[in-house]
Amino acid sequence: MGKVTGFLEFQRVKETYEAPLKRLNHWNEFVHTLTTEEARQQGARCMDCGIPFCTSGCPVNNIIPDWNDLVYRQDWHSALDVLHSTNNFPEFTGRVCPAPCEAACTLNINSEAVGIKSIEHAIIDHGWQEGWVLPQPPARKTGKRVAVVGSGPAGLACAQQLARAGHSVTVFEKSNRIGGLLRYGIPDFKLEKSHIDRRLRQMEAEGVEFSPSTYVGAPEHAEEGLNARTPESLQTEFDAVVLTGGAENPRDLPVPGRELRGVHFAMDFLRQQNKACNGDRVSKQITAKDKHVIVIGGGDTGSDCVGTSNRQGAASVTQFELMPKLPETEDKALTWPYWPAKLRSSSSHEEGCQRDWAIGTKSFEGKNGKVEKLVAARVEWFKDKATGQMKMREMEGSQFELPADLVLLAMGFVSPVKNVLDAFGVDLDARGNARANTDDYITNVDKVFAAGDMRRGQSLVVWAIREGRQCARSVDEYLMGASTLPR
């Protein structure tokens, strides 16, 4: 490494945020990228540890020690090349990835990990500023055509790789804009959509065609105003079809009062706000303004609901989690280099939120068809002696009520859209996902592949990029007999 003793000399420096009271007044990103010198010092902290567990901890296997060293040496262009060699969209992961690489960092055993995510963020932003991120059109075309259904991170990564291999790629998206989860699932204050738009311009220059407002599946399931393409037409027109839609079926909460107005799935709420930020006219928008908001679910989607509610001017925001509260610090000797179970607080929580754990929702109550309060109780978890499974029971006398004008269900997703998979005749696994393995990503249907959340279920953006890249190589091998695309 460039600075062998760097991990002894320099402390971890975190990216700074705009003050909460200031950032709540807008929808823009508020994270300040590391300065050149700060990034250099963070790169210097990377140890010559022999086995880079950070690389194996990263789903796309980023070659992290190499670009840490290059940043330390101020060779930013080479650092960008190394970063792009494994990740098509580091500006996305540098902003929204939870950084499992840092959990696996060797320095994390007894100190604070290298700020890998912040260095990645700095490299790609520096690359865009310098004009180094350019289209990479293929030297020759293969004459093969590929349809990619779904324009989230898996679909975009797959499409870009295939286009660079010389195939003619068309990406189909049912929404009016390209981006999938990146566009309509992640709030602008975490990922401004200009980052997506400039990547789309790059991909168009590389030959990728985009077809938004197009539903692929049985025509009777298409929403009004959308173009409809049948699976048969794609299978006839294209040499391969890749299904990369998201896990869009949310987990519901079937308790009394679920039908009341004001109880919504989190993604319906977030999607509308993202559309509004994109300039779309949203009729009857779900809004948290002046309301007592309760978010049920403690993951990233729930956190996004908290940040969005506060920006809309909620009277109060409360977030519940069914599971017990995790410890604030993990037992590193027990968990390293794996992703630890510990309490995590997001920037949205810092902006104002009451949080509680081990809470079970019993019912929603209201008047005139509108929710007014939530009835809940505390639960305790125990191990069933007969089965060894963890189970829960309500704690006696723990029932309570809270005012609730808006309830957002953010409890994860159970499966992709079944109508699409059924229309193609794709076999499903036990969880309702497309059945395909990670060796070739091909389904039981000839020349139909599946990757991303549609294949593995709800997951991270970085996992979607990995699957999209690997699937692209499999498609290339299927079409050409061999492939030079990286896996």
Side-chain angles (χ1 to χ4, degrees), residues 2 5-6 55 66 70 78 114 116 119 153 159-160 167 187 234 237 244 250 281 284 292 296 311 364 453:
T5 59
T55 296
D66 288 34
L70 289 165
S78 295
V114 174
I116 299 168
I119 298 174
Q160 184 168 61
H167 305 304
L234 294 190
E237 184 178 340
T244 59
R281 179 174 296 178
K284 299 180 180 179
H292 296 290
I296 301 177
R311 281 165 177 76
F364 305 115
D453 287 7

Side-chain angles (χ1 to χ4, degrees), residues 59-324:
V60 293
N61 301 126
N62 277 328
I63 312 170
I64 295 164
D66 288 34
W67 43 257
N68 280 343
D69 182 57
L70 289 165
V71 167
Y72 169 72
R73 299 178 187 279
Q74 297 293 278
D75 187 352
W76 288 86
H77 199 293
S78 295
L80 181 67
D81 290 341
V82 174
L83 180 56
H84 268 145
S85 70
T86 56
N87 187 351
N88 295 68
F89 312 120
E91 65 269 44
F92 303 159
T93 52
R95 285 167 166 81
V96 303
C97 183
C101 54
E102 294 187 14
C105 174
T106 300
L107 189 56
N108 191 46
I109 295 174
N110 65 345
S111 182
E112 288 192 292
V114 174
I116 299 168
K117 178 180 174 180
S118 62
I119 298 174
E120 177 182 18
H121 188 178
I123 294 172
I124 185 58
D125 280 13
H126 192 75
W128 280 108
Q129 290 166 7
E130 295 294 328
W132 296 335
V133 185
L134 300 171
Q136 300 178 35
R140 62 185 64 86
K141 300 290 284 187
T142 65
K144 301 293 185 180
R145 303 191 66 196
V146 182
V148 176
V149 181
S151 67
L156 293 180
C158 184
Q160 184 168 61
Q161 292 295 95
L162 288 170
R164 290 175 175 178
H167 305 304
S168 297
V169 183
T170 302
V171 178
F172 295 92
E173 168 59 52
K174 65 182 178 182
S175 296
N176 64 328
R177 288 186 173 89
I178 299 297
L181 170 71
L182 298 168
R183 175 79 65 181
Y184 291 122
I186 300 174
D188 283 45
F189 57 80
K190 289 175 64 176
L191 177 67
E192 291 181 9
K193 306 319 173 197
S194 59
H195 302 301
I196 305 172
D197 294 336
R198 63 185 179 187
R199 276 295 178 185
L200 298 184
R201 291 192 292 270
Q202 179 197 38
M203 292 176 66
E204 287 175 331
E206 294 169 347
V208 177
E209 296 182 3
F210 296 103
S211 181
S213 300
T214 303
Y215 176 82
V216 176
E220 61 269 22
H221 292 137
E223 296 179 11
E224 185 178 355
L226 297 183
N227 300 316
R229 294 295 303 268
T230 64
E232 293 77 16
S233 69
L234 294 190
Q235 289 169 291
T236 300
E237 184 178 340
F238 295 89
D239 299 291
V241 178
V242 186
L243 305 179
T244 59
E248 296 183 47
N249 285 334
R251 181 172 286 107
D252 208 343
L253 186 59
V255 299
R258 170 64 181 88
E259 74 286 352
L260 292 171
R261 297 193 310 276
V263 183
H264 301 277
F265 287 119
M267 285 306 301
D268 294 337
F269 172 69
L270 295 174
R271 187 181 294 109
Q272 287 187 353
Q273 182 56 56
N274 280 5
K275 283 180 174 290
C277 287
N278 272 254
D280 291 352
R281 179 174 296 178
V282 181
S283 62
K284 299 180 180 179
Q285 181 177 353
I286 305 166
T287 177
K289 183 174 177 58
D290 299 327
K291 294 177 180 177
H292 296 290
V293 180
I294 295 181
V295 179
I296 301 177
D300 288 339
T301 302
S303 171
D304 293 344
C305 288
V306 171
T308 300
S309 296
N310 279 323
R311 281 165 177 76
Q312 289 183 350
S316 68
V317 183
T318 304
Q319 185 177 27
F320 288 153
E321 170 61 65
L322 183 64
M323 301 302 292

